[in-house]
Amino acid sequence: MSKQEKQIVMTYKYKMYRNKSLRHLDRLIDYHCEVYNYCIALHRRYYKMYHKHLSANKLKVHLTKVRKRPNKEHWRELGSQSIQDVAERIERSYKAFFDAKKEQRCGRHSIPHFCKRKNYSSFTLKQTGYKFHDGNHITILGKDYKYVAHRPYEGTIKTVSIKRDNCGDFWLCIVCAKPASEIIPRKGNAIGYDFGLKTFLTGSDGSRIESPRFLEKNATALRSAQQALSRKRKGSANWRRAKMDVARKYQYVRNRRKDWFYKLAADIASQYSDVCIEDLNIKAMQQLWGRKISDYAFTEFVSILQNQLSKTGGQLHKVDRFYPSSKTCSHCGHIVEEMPLDVRRWECPICHAMLDRDGNAAVNILVEGMKSA
């Protein structure tokens, strides 16, 4: 393969069969959490003594020596590269914190903290520590496991990760690099979409897409499950079962929403080559409207839509969030000073055109977005 040939990185996710052997993986993840907390404590102690940041390379050398201690004998069950990955995770977190401080970016940015075992969910292997066999068998750190091979992975394996979710399921994540197939940009129809609270998507062609609002539809079942959890004594067997029931119900909502997003994004990508949307401040919207914005999950849908468009040769154009799409008349371009949220239809004072708030915004988003195309 030539050096100039482009590569893409893809992650293949497989569910692992539930059996008693998964207890070993559960224990290994807890051990990695112990390594993580040890590294965090070491970082803080090093900074307190020397007022310097402990580099990842020094930390890796130290962890190699610590594994030989009698009280850390159980760390020898872990892969050497998976322990090194823990040090690299912490290094990336510190780098993100210092970069955010340096660039004065808004949002929550804090140094890495200690992590509870129940919140630590994965470990990663790179070149060694795993071996794939024929069919759906894999050996991880000396033990054999089976996974649901619903599709084959393609390319050169870069990393293999084991993840544990709140429902007690384990997932095998394989990161592969493969040559990028040439996708020719296509010419076709363009559309602008306006996200709204009344309607999920309003198109510039007059189409309207309503959200199923899966969280709202399952609110009664979620409320009952959470009430049942609150009546249990914390730490008991019934409490653990009730907690698992809550997690499964939330997973059901997430899976249904993601399935609907993928089908909708694939339908849009097949019809249009250029899609224009508004770059919204989702965090600010969540503070105002809370659970309704979380139920719509705009950010997740935009990410899926961009991925689907890249596969079909389409493009996603984002309009600046401060562009007054709702206050601008799509006929004459006049911008009104005020536009309260309860105004759904309004008349332009210049051309006297009657405008629908969301439909007018979608047309303006299309025009503004295609300027950068």
Side-chain angles (χ1 to χ4, degrees):
M1 184 177 61
S2 62
K3 294 182 179 180
Q4 296 180 352
E5 187 175 1
K6 293 184 179 179
Q7 286 190 329
I8 58 172
V9 178
M10 292 189 63
T11 301
Y12 299 88
K13 190 174 182 180
Y14 305 96
K15 188 174 182 179
M16 305 190 72
Y17 281 97
R18 298 191 68 142
N19 49 46
K20 292 183 179 179
S21 61
L22 293 182
R23 297 176 183 175
H24 182 247
L25 292 179
D26 191 57
R27 187 169 66 252
L28 291 181
I29 292 177
D30 291 343
Y31 289 166
H32 282 89
C33 179
E34 184 181 335
V35 175
Y36 179 88
N37 289 330
Y38 178 86
C39 294
I40 294 294
L42 202 62
H43 266 278
R44 297 186 177 185
R45 193 180 308 121
Y46 188 87
Y47 183 80
K48 188 175 182 180
M49 293 175 62
Y50 304 105
H51 299 284
K52 292 181 181 180
H53 172 67
L54 178 60
S55 67
N57 291 331
K58 289 183 179 180
L59 186 57
K60 290 177 184 179
V61 173
H62 176 72
L63 290 175
T64 304
K65 298 177 181 178
V66 172
R67 291 180 68 191
K68 300 176 182 179
R69 295 177 182 175
N71 62 334
K72 303 296 183 183
E73 187 176 355
H74 56 287
W75 284 14
R76 299 173 194 174
E77 296 183 36
L78 311 179
S80 58
Q81 293 187 349
S82 65
I83 291 181
Q84 293 175 5
D85 181 73
V86 173
E88 293 172 1
R89 286 187 188 186
I90 298 175
E91 181 71 15
R92 288 193 296 267
S93 299
Y94 272 109
K95 185 178 184 304
F97 168 73
F98 289 126
D99 289 345
K101 286 292 183 181
K102 185 177 180 180
E103 298 173 8
Q104 297 182 349
R105 292 199 299 265
C106 299
R108 292 184 178 181
H109 302 284
S110 61
I111 60 175
H113 294 286
F114 293 107
C115 185
K116 294 182 180 180
R117 289 190 175 188
K118 64 179 181 179
N119 296 330
Y120 198 89
S121 59
S122 67
F123 66 88
T124 300
L125 302 169
K126 295 181 180 178
Q127 291 89 357
T128 60
Y130 62 90
K131 184 178 181 181
F132 287 91
H133 306 286
D134 294 337
N136 59 344
H137 290 75
I138 182 175
T139 301
I140 300 174
L141 298 176
K143 289 189 176 293
D144 296 333
Y145 303 93
K146 291 177 66 177
Y147 62 94
V148 182
H150 60 278
R151 62 169 177 169
Y153 59 87
E154 300 176 354
T156 305
I157 298 177
K158 294 297 183 181
T159 62
V160 172
S161 298
I162 302 296
K163 293 191 176 183
R164 174 182 61 188
D165 62 15
N166 294 331
C167 297
D169 295 325
F170 287 79
W171 301 84
L172 175 67
C173 301
I174 307 172
V175 178
C176 298
K178 64 178 183 178
S181 58
E182 185 178 0
I183 299 176
I184 302 175
R186 62 187 177 95
K187 297 294 182 180
N189 298 326
I191 191 171
Y193 280 118
D194 176 60
F195 290 111
L197 295 175
K198 299 291 184 181
T199 305
F200 181 71
L201 287 178
T202 302
S204 56
D205 58 354
S207 61
R208 293 178 181 272
I209 301 173
E210 300 290 341
S211 172
R213 299 184 67 177
F214 298 103
L215 185 63
E216 182 181 1
K217 287 184 178 179
N218 293 272
T220 303
L222 289 168
R223 189 181 303 111
S224 299
Q226 288 170 336
Q227 288 174 348
L229 174 64
S230 65
R231 289 192 290 267
K232 304 295 187 295
R233 181 168 58 86
K234 189 173 182 180
S236 64
N238 287 333
W239 178 83
R240 285 193 293 270
R241 279 193 287 268
K243 185 179 179 182
M244 192 70 67
D245 184 52
V246 173
R248 287 197 183 100
K249 282 181 168 55
Y250 274 106
Q251 187 185 56
Y252 174 75
V253 172
R254 288 194 303 270
N255 290 343
R256 292 194 65 190
R257 183 192 293 124
K258 184 177 290 187
D259 178 69
W260 184 72
F261 280 168
Y262 270 103
K263 291 176 179 177
L264 176 60
D267 184 54
I268 293 174
S270 64
Q271 296 183 52
Y272 303 101
S273 61
D274 294 277
V275 179
C276 305
I277 62 170
E278 195 172 10
D279 185 20
L280 299 174
N281 187 356
I282 300 299
K283 289 186 177 180
M285 295 175 67
Q286 283 179 330
Q287 293 178 355
L288 290 174
W289 295 289
R291 188 171 61 184
K292 190 172 184 179
I293 299 299
S294 301
D295 196 4
Y296 279 161
F298 291 133
T299 305
E300 183 182 3
F301 173 72
V302 170
S303 176
I304 293 174
L305 178 60
Q306 190 166 14
N307 182 38
Q308 293 294 323
L309 286 169
S310 65
K311 293 179 181 179
T312 59
Q315 284 188 319
L316 183 69
H317 308 280
K318 292 185 179 181
V319 176
D320 187 80
R321 65 184 59 171
F322 297 107
Y323 173 70
S325 58
S326 298
K327 298 191 293 184
T328 303
C329 175
S330 58
H331 291 270
C332 65
H334 174 70
I335 302 176
V336 297
E337 294 183 0
E338 296 293 335
M339 182 65 64
L341 287 174
D342 58 348
V343 177
R344 308 313 303 173
R345 291 184 62 85
W346 58 284
E347 181 182 0
C348 177
I350 304 300
C351 65
H352 302 288
M354 289 299 299
L355 303 169
D356 175 74
R357 182 192 183 97
D358 295 337
N360 174 70
V363 173
N364 291 328
I365 289 171
L366 172 62
V367 174
E368 185 69 16
M370 293 307 293
K371 289 181 181 179
S372 60

mmCIF file of all heavy atoms in Angstrom, residues 222-256:
data_model
loop_
_atom_site.group_PDB
_atom_site.id
_atom_site.type_symbol
_atom_site.label_atom_id
_atom_site.label_comp_id
_atom_site.label_asym_id
_atom_site.label_seq_id
_atom_site.Cartn_x
_atom_site.Cartn_y
_atom_site.Cartn_z
ATOM 1 N N LEU A 222 -40.545 3.932 33.291
ATOM 2 C CA LEU A 222 -39.304 4.356 33.945
ATOM 3 C C LEU A 222 -39.572 4.849 35.358
ATOM 4 O O LEU A 222 -38.814 4.555 36.288
ATOM 5 C CB LEU A 222 -38.638 5.459 33.113
ATOM 6 C CG LEU A 222 -38.017 5.030 31.790
ATOM 7 C CD1 LEU A 222 -37.652 6.248 30.952
ATOM 8 C CD2 LEU A 222 -36.785 4.175 32.033
ATOM 9 N N ARG A 223 -40.679 5.579 35.507
ATOM 10 C CA ARG A 223 -41.012 6.099 36.832
ATOM 11 C C ARG A 223 -41.323 4.954 37.797
ATOM 12 O O ARG A 223 -40.876 4.964 38.951
ATOM 13 C CB ARG A 223 -42.207 7.047 36.719
ATOM 14 C CG ARG A 223 -42.509 7.804 38.004
ATOM 15 C CD ARG A 223 -43.719 8.709 37.870
ATOM 16 N NE ARG A 223 -43.537 9.659 36.780
ATOM 17 C CZ ARG A 223 -44.225 9.649 35.639
ATOM 18 N NH1 ARG A 223 -45.141 8.704 35.433
ATOM 19 N NH2 ARG A 223 -44.016 10.551 34.709
ATOM 20 N N SER A 224 -42.047 3.965 37.334
ATOM 21 C CA SER A 224 -42.383 2.822 38.193
ATOM 22 C C SER A 224 -41.132 2.044 38.589
ATOM 23 O O SER A 224 -40.983 1.623 39.743
ATOM 24 C CB SER A 224 -43.362 1.895 37.461
ATOM 25 O OG SER A 224 -44.561 2.564 37.143
ATOM 26 N N ALA A 225 -40.215 1.863 37.630
ATOM 27 C CA ALA A 225 -38.984 1.134 37.928
ATOM 28 C C ALA A 225 -38.113 1.890 38.922
ATOM 29 O O ALA A 225 -37.511 1.295 39.827
ATOM 30 C CB ALA A 225 -38.212 0.880 36.637
ATOM 31 N N GLN A 226 -38.051 3.215 38.790
ATOM 32 C CA GLN A 226 -37.243 4.004 39.712
ATOM 33 C C GLN A 226 -37.870 4.071 41.104
ATOM 34 O O GLN A 226 -37.169 4.094 42.115
ATOM 35 C CB GLN A 226 -37.053 5.404 39.139
ATOM 36 C CG GLN A 226 -36.113 5.428 37.938
ATOM 37 C CD GLN A 226 -36.115 6.751 37.217
ATOM 38 O OE1 GLN A 226 -37.075 7.512 37.290
ATOM 39 N NE2 GLN A 226 -35.046 7.031 36.491
ATOM 40 N N GLN A 227 -39.203 4.078 41.162
ATOM 41 C CA GLN A 227 -39.871 4.051 42.467
ATOM 42 C C GLN A 227 -39.637 2.715 43.170
ATOM 43 O O GLN A 227 -39.435 2.662 44.384
ATOM 44 C CB GLN A 227 -41.360 4.310 42.286
ATOM 45 C CG GLN A 227 -41.696 5.757 41.925
ATOM 46 C CD GLN A 227 -43.167 5.944 41.609
ATOM 47 O OE1 GLN A 227 -43.912 4.975 41.449
ATOM 48 N NE2 GLN A 227 -43.599 7.198 41.509
ATOM 49 N N ALA A 228 -39.665 1.635 42.375
ATOM 50 C CA ALA A 228 -39.378 0.313 42.953
ATOM 51 C C ALA A 228 -37.951 0.239 43.473
ATOM 52 O O ALA A 228 -37.681 -0.371 44.515
ATOM 53 C CB ALA A 228 -39.623 -0.772 41.904
ATOM 54 N N LEU A 229 -37.024 0.874 42.755
ATOM 55 C CA LEU A 229 -35.628 0.902 43.198
ATOM 56 C C LEU A 229 -35.476 1.679 44.498
ATOM 57 O O LEU A 229 -34.733 1.281 45.404
ATOM 58 C CB LEU A 229 -34.750 1.513 42.107
ATOM 59 C CG LEU A 229 -33.277 1.748 42.446
ATOM 60 C CD1 LEU A 229 -32.569 0.416 42.709
ATOM 61 C CD2 LEU A 229 -32.577 2.499 41.315
ATOM 62 N N SER A 230 -36.201 2.788 44.631
ATOM 63 C CA SER A 230 -36.066 3.624 45.829
ATOM 64 C C SER A 230 -36.606 2.942 47.078
ATOM 65 O O SER A 230 -36.233 3.308 48.201
ATOM 66 C CB SER A 230 -36.790 4.956 45.616
ATOM 67 O OG SER A 230 -38.187 4.736 45.479
ATOM 68 N N ARG A 231 -37.493 1.950 46.898
ATOM 69 C CA ARG A 231 -38.065 1.252 48.063
ATOM 70 C C ARG A 231 -37.179 0.106 48.557
ATOM 71 O O ARG A 231 -37.449 -0.470 49.612
ATOM 72 C CB ARG A 231 -39.458 0.706 47.703
ATOM 73 C CG ARG A 231 -40.513 1.779 47.544
ATOM 74 C CD ARG A 231 -41.900 1.158 47.491
ATOM 75 N NE ARG A 231 -42.104 0.418 46.260
ATOM 76 C CZ ARG A 231 -42.647 0.923 45.154
ATOM 77 N NH1 ARG A 231 -43.040 2.205 45.147
ATOM 78 N NH2 ARG A 231 -42.812 0.186 44.088
ATOM 79 N N LYS A 232 -36.141 -0.217 47.802
ATOM 80 C CA LYS A 232 -35.260 -1.321 48.190
ATOM 81 C C LYS A 232 -34.130 -0.818 49.082
ATOM 82 O O LYS A 232 -33.711 0.345 48.994
ATOM 83 C CB LYS A 232 -34.666 -1.992 46.939
ATOM 84 C CG LYS A 232 -35.702 -2.499 45.940
ATOM 85 C CD LYS A 232 -36.528 -3.619 46.523
ATOM 86 C CE LYS A 232 -37.453 -4.231 45.471
ATOM 87 N NZ LYS A 232 -38.479 -3.311 44.983
ATOM 88 N N ARG A 233 -33.659 -1.699 49.949
ATOM 89 C CA ARG A 233 -32.524 -1.349 50.806
ATOM 90 C C ARG A 233 -31.258 -1.349 49.961
ATOM 91 O O ARG A 233 -30.941 -2.336 49.301
ATOM 92 C CB ARG A 233 -32.402 -2.331 51.971
ATOM 93 C CG ARG A 233 -31.251 -2.020 52.937
ATOM 94 C CD ARG A 233 -31.384 -2.858 54.194
ATOM 95 N NE ARG A 233 -31.406 -4.287 53.883
ATOM 96 C CZ ARG A 233 -30.303 -5.033 53.741
ATOM 97 N NH1 ARG A 233 -29.102 -4.483 53.868
ATOM 98 N NH2 ARG A 233 -30.410 -6.321 53.462
ATOM 99 N N LYS A 234 -30.527 -0.247 49.978
ATOM 100 C CA LYS A 234 -29.368 -0.086 49.118
ATOM 101 C C LYS A 234 -28.305 -1.138 49.431
ATOM 102 O O LYS A 234 -27.930 -1.347 50.586
ATOM 103 C CB LYS A 234 -28.768 1.311 49.290
ATOM 104 C CG LYS A 234 -27.685 1.630 48.281
ATOM 105 C CD LYS A 234 -27.247 3.074 48.371
ATOM 106 C CE LYS A 234 -26.194 3.388 47.319
ATOM 107 N NZ LYS A 234 -25.739 4.798 47.380
ATOM 108 N N GLY A 235 -27.830 -1.813 48.380
ATOM 109 C CA GLY A 235 -26.813 -2.835 48.517
ATOM 110 C C GLY A 235 -27.368 -4.240 48.596
ATOM 111 O O GLY A 235 -26.598 -5.210 48.494
ATOM 112 N N SER A 236 -28.684 -4.394 48.760
ATOM 113 C CA SER A 236 -29.274 -5.728 48.864
ATOM 114 C C SER A 236 -29.410 -6.353 47.475
ATOM 115 O O SER A 236 -29.250 -5.699 46.445
ATOM 116 C CB SER A 236 -30.645 -5.648 49.540
ATOM 117 O OG SER A 236 -31.546 -4.896 48.735
ATOM 118 N N ALA A 237 -29.738 -7.658 47.460
ATOM 119 C CA ALA A 237 -29.901 -8.358 46.189
ATOM 120 C C ALA A 237 -31.098 -7.814 45.411
ATOM 121 O O ALA A 237 -31.030 -7.659 44.179
ATOM 122 C CB ALA A 237 -30.078 -9.858 46.445
ATOM 123 N N ASN A 238 -32.199 -7.505 46.108
ATOM 124 C CA ASN A 238 -33.366 -6.928 45.437
ATOM 125 C C ASN A 238 -33.053 -5.548 44.867
ATOM 126 O O ASN A 238 -33.557 -5.171 43.811
ATOM 127 C CB ASN A 238 -34.549 -6.835 46.405
ATOM 128 C CG ASN A 238 -35.154 -8.187 46.696
ATOM 129 O OD1 ASN A 238 -35.076 -9.097 45.868
ATOM 130 N ND2 ASN A 238 -35.750 -8.329 47.877
ATOM 131 N N TRP A 239 -32.220 -4.787 45.585
ATOM 132 C CA TRP A 239 -31.822 -3.459 45.103
ATOM 133 C C TRP A 239 -31.002 -3.581 43.815
ATOM 134 O O TRP A 239 -31.198 -2.810 42.879
ATOM 135 C CB TRP A 239 -31.007 -2.757 46.190
ATOM 136 C CG TRP A 239 -30.499 -1.403 45.794
ATOM 137 C CD1 TRP A 239 -31.166 -0.221 45.830
ATOM 138 C CD2 TRP A 239 -29.194 -1.102 45.286
ATOM 139 N NE1 TRP A 239 -30.365 0.807 45.385
ATOM 140 C CE2 TRP A 239 -29.145 0.292 45.043
ATOM 141 C CE3 TRP A 239 -28.056 -1.864 45.022
ATOM 142 C CZ2 TRP A 239 -28.010 0.930 44.548
ATOM 143 C CZ3 TRP A 239 -26.932 -1.240 44.525
ATOM 144 C CH2 TRP A 239 -26.915 0.144 44.290
ATOM 145 N N ARG A 240 -30.109 -4.560 43.758
ATOM 146 C CA ARG A 240 -29.306 -4.752 42.548
ATOM 147 C C ARG A 240 -30.178 -5.174 41.363
ATOM 148 O O ARG A 240 -29.963 -4.729 40.237
ATOM 149 C CB ARG A 240 -28.212 -5.784 42.814
ATOM 150 C CG ARG A 240 -27.064 -5.259 43.661
ATOM 151 C CD ARG A 240 -25.876 -6.207 43.627
ATOM 152 N NE ARG A 240 -26.191 -7.467 44.301
ATOM 153 C CZ ARG A 240 -25.984 -7.694 45.591
ATOM 154 N NH1 ARG A 240 -25.483 -6.732 46.367
ATOM 155 N NH2 ARG A 240 -26.279 -8.864 46.129
ATOM 156 N N ARG A 241 -31.172 -6.042 41.632
ATOM 157 C CA ARG A 241 -32.072 -6.446 40.556
ATOM 158 C C ARG A 241 -32.924 -5.274 40.066
ATOM 159 O O ARG A 241 -33.141 -5.106 38.860
ATOM 160 C CB ARG A 241 -32.968 -7.586 41.043
ATOM 161 C CG ARG A 241 -32.287 -8.954 41.007
ATOM 162 C CD ARG A 241 -33.300 -10.054 41.196
ATOM 163 N NE ARG A 241 -33.761 -10.107 42.573
ATOM 164 C CZ ARG A 241 -33.215 -10.867 43.516
ATOM 165 N NH1 ARG A 241 -32.175 -11.642 43.226
ATOM 166 N NH2 ARG A 241 -33.689 -10.874 44.739
ATOM 167 N N ALA A 242 -33.404 -4.453 41.000
ATOM 168 C CA ALA A 242 -34.206 -3.286 40.613
ATOM 169 C C ALA A 242 -33.362 -2.268 39.848
ATOM 170 O O ALA A 242 -33.838 -1.642 38.888
ATOM 171 C CB ALA A 242 -34.819 -2.636 41.858
ATOM 172 N N LYS A 243 -32.120 -2.116 40.258
ATOM 173 C CA LYS A 243 -31.231 -1.191 39.560
ATOM 174 C C LYS A 243 -30.962 -1.669 38.135
ATOM 175 O O LYS A 243 -30.914 -0.869 37.186
ATOM 176 C CB LYS A 243 -29.914 -1.071 40.333
ATOM 177 C CG LYS A 243 -28.963 -0.042 39.760
ATOM 178 C CD LYS A 243 -27.689 0.038 40.577
ATOM 179 C CE LYS A 243 -26.735 1.052 39.985
ATOM 180 N NZ LYS A 243 -25.462 1.130 40.739
ATOM 181 N N MET A 244 -30.801 -2.987 37.966
ATOM 182 C CA MET A 244 -30.594 -3.552 36.638
ATOM 183 C C MET A 244 -31.836 -3.358 35.765
ATOM 184 O O MET A 244 -31.732 -3.112 34.557
ATOM 185 C CB MET A 244 -30.255 -5.034 36.754
ATOM 186 C CG MET A 244 -29.750 -5.662 35.475
ATOM 187 S SD MET A 244 -28.109 -5.087 35.031
ATOM 188 C CE MET A 244 -27.136 -5.794 36.363
ATOM 189 N N ASP A 245 -33.022 -3.443 36.378
ATOM 190 C CA ASP A 245 -34.262 -3.235 35.632
ATOM 191 C C ASP A 245 -34.361 -1.806 35.112
ATOM 192 O O ASP A 245 -34.784 -1.577 33.967
ATOM 193 C CB ASP A 245 -35.456 -3.567 36.542
ATOM 194 C CG ASP A 245 -36.776 -3.464 35.812
ATOM 195 O OD1 ASP A 245 -36.918 -4.078 34.734
ATOM 196 O OD2 ASP A 245 -37.678 -2.760 36.299
ATOM 197 N N VAL A 246 -33.959 -0.834 35.918
ATOM 198 C CA VAL A 246 -33.956 0.571 35.476
ATOM 199 C C VAL A 246 -32.985 0.765 34.315
ATOM 200 O O VAL A 246 -33.302 1.424 33.322
ATOM 201 C CB VAL A 246 -33.591 1.501 36.657
ATOM 202 C CG1 VAL A 246 -33.405 2.936 36.172
ATOM 203 C CG2 VAL A 246 -34.660 1.451 37.722
ATOM 204 N N ALA A 247 -31.806 0.171 34.434
ATOM 205 C CA ALA A 247 -30.802 0.310 33.375
ATOM 206 C C ALA A 247 -31.288 -0.303 32.064
ATOM 207 O O ALA A 247 -31.061 0.261 30.982
ATOM 208 C CB ALA A 247 -29.490 -0.345 33.809
ATOM 209 N N ARG A 248 -31.972 -1.450 32.140
ATOM 210 C CA ARG A 248 -32.467 -2.092 30.918
ATOM 211 C C ARG A 248 -33.553 -1.254 30.250
ATOM 212 O O ARG A 248 -33.631 -1.188 29.013
ATOM 213 C CB ARG A 248 -33.007 -3.488 31.250
ATOM 214 C CG ARG A 248 -31.919 -4.502 31.570
ATOM 215 C CD ARG A 248 -32.463 -5.920 31.483
ATOM 216 N NE ARG A 248 -31.424 -6.884 31.854
ATOM 217 C CZ ARG A 248 -31.320 -7.459 33.027
ATOM 218 N NH1 ARG A 248 -32.201 -7.157 33.990
ATOM 219 N NH2 ARG A 248 -30.368 -8.326 33.291
ATOM 220 N N LYS A 249 -34.397 -0.622 31.038
ATOM 221 C CA LYS A 249 -35.454 0.208 30.461
ATOM 222 C C LYS A 249 -34.865 1.438 29.765
ATOM 223 O O LYS A 249 -35.329 1.845 28.688
ATOM 224 C CB LYS A 249 -36.446 0.628 31.548
ATOM 225 C CG LYS A 249 -37.427 -0.486 31.923
ATOM 226 C CD LYS A 249 -38.411 -0.031 32.977
ATOM 227 C CE LYS A 249 -39.553 -1.038 33.117
ATOM 228 N NZ LYS A 249 -39.111 -2.399 33.394
ATOM 229 N N TYR A 250 -33.837 2.044 30.354
ATOM 230 C CA TYR A 250 -33.182 3.167 29.689
ATOM 231 C C TYR A 250 -32.448 2.714 28.430
ATOM 232 O O TYR A 250 -32.406 3.428 27.427
ATOM 233 C CB TYR A 250 -32.211 3.853 30.645
ATOM 234 C CG TYR A 250 -32.856 4.899 31.511
ATOM 235 C CD1 TYR A 250 -33.103 4.676 32.860
ATOM 236 C CD2 TYR A 250 -33.225 6.134 30.974
ATOM 237 C CE1 TYR A 250 -33.697 5.636 33.652
ATOM 238 C CE2 TYR A 250 -33.825 7.101 31.762
ATOM 239 C CZ TYR A 250 -34.059 6.845 33.098
ATOM 240 O OH TYR A 250 -34.669 7.803 33.868
ATOM 241 N N GLN A 251 -31.865 1.517 28.477
ATOM 242 C CA GLN A 251 -31.206 0.997 27.287
ATOM 243 C C GLN A 251 -32.209 0.746 26.168
ATOM 244 O O GLN A 251 -31.915 0.988 24.986
ATOM 245 C CB GLN A 251 -30.482 -0.303 27.636
ATOM 246 C CG GLN A 251 -29.618 -0.854 26.506
ATOM 247 C CD GLN A 251 -29.017 -2.200 26.845
ATOM 248 O OE1 GLN A 251 -29.747 -3.140 27.168
ATOM 249 N NE2 GLN A 251 -27.701 -2.306 26.792
ATOM 250 N N TYR A 252 -33.399 0.299 26.510
ATOM 251 C CA TYR A 252 -34.454 0.078 25.523
ATOM 252 C C TYR A 252 -34.813 1.387 24.822
ATOM 253 O O TYR A 252 -34.983 1.425 23.595
ATOM 254 C CB TYR A 252 -35.679 -0.516 26.221
ATOM 255 C CG TYR A 252 -36.898 -0.663 25.352
ATOM 256 C CD1 TYR A 252 -36.977 -1.676 24.405
ATOM 257 C CD2 TYR A 252 -37.978 0.201 25.486
ATOM 258 C CE1 TYR A 252 -38.105 -1.817 23.611
ATOM 259 C CE2 TYR A 252 -39.104 0.078 24.700
ATOM 260 C CZ TYR A 252 -39.170 -0.936 23.764
ATOM 261 O OH TYR A 252 -40.284 -1.067 22.976
ATOM 262 N N VAL A 253 -34.903 2.465 25.594
ATOM 263 C CA VAL A 253 -35.215 3.773 25.015
ATOM 264 C C VAL A 253 -34.094 4.228 24.092
ATOM 265 O O VAL A 253 -34.343 4.712 22.973
ATOM 266 C CB VAL A 253 -35.457 4.806 26.136
ATOM 267 C CG1 VAL A 253 -35.587 6.216 25.553
ATOM 268 C CG2 VAL A 253 -36.703 4.453 26.929
ATOM 269 N N ARG A 254 -32.845 4.087 24.522
ATOM 270 C CA ARG A 254 -31.707 4.506 23.704
ATOM 271 C C ARG A 254 -31.635 3.720 22.397
ATOM 272 O O ARG A 254 -31.380 4.302 21.334
ATOM 273 C CB ARG A 254 -30.406 4.329 24.488
ATOM 274 C CG ARG A 254 -30.198 5.330 25.603
ATOM 275 C CD ARG A 254 -28.751 5.305 26.083
ATOM 276 N NE ARG A 254 -28.358 3.976 26.529
ATOM 277 C CZ ARG A 254 -28.488 3.535 27.774
ATOM 278 N NH1 ARG A 254 -29.019 4.311 28.699
ATOM 279 N NH2 ARG A 254 -28.081 2.318 28.109
ATOM 280 N N ASN A 255 -31.859 2.421 22.472
ATOM 281 C CA ASN A 255 -31.766 1.597 21.268
ATOM 282 C C ASN A 255 -32.846 1.947 20.256
ATOM 283 O O ASN A 255 -32.595 1.997 19.048
ATOM 284 C CB ASN A 255 -31.852 0.113 21.647
ATOM 285 C CG ASN A 255 -30.615 -0.371 22.379
ATOM 286 O OD1 ASN A 255 -29.570 0.276 22.339
ATOM 287 N ND2 ASN A 255 -30.720 -1.500 23.047
ATOM 288 N N ARG A 256 -34.065 2.174 20.723
ATOM 289 C CA ARG A 256 -35.157 2.533 19.810
ATOM 290 C C ARG A 256 -34.891 3.890 19.163
ATOM 291 O O ARG A 256 -35.145 4.080 17.969
ATOM 292 C CB ARG A 256 -36.487 2.570 20.554
ATOM 293 C CG ARG A 256 -36.976 1.208 21.032
ATOM 294 C CD ARG A 256 -38.415 1.272 21.451
ATOM 295 N NE ARG A 256 -39.292 1.582 20.321
ATOM 296 C CZ ARG A 256 -40.579 1.882 20.446
ATOM 297 N NH1 ARG A 256 -41.139 1.920 21.650
ATOM 298 N NH2 ARG A 256 -41.312 2.145 19.396
#
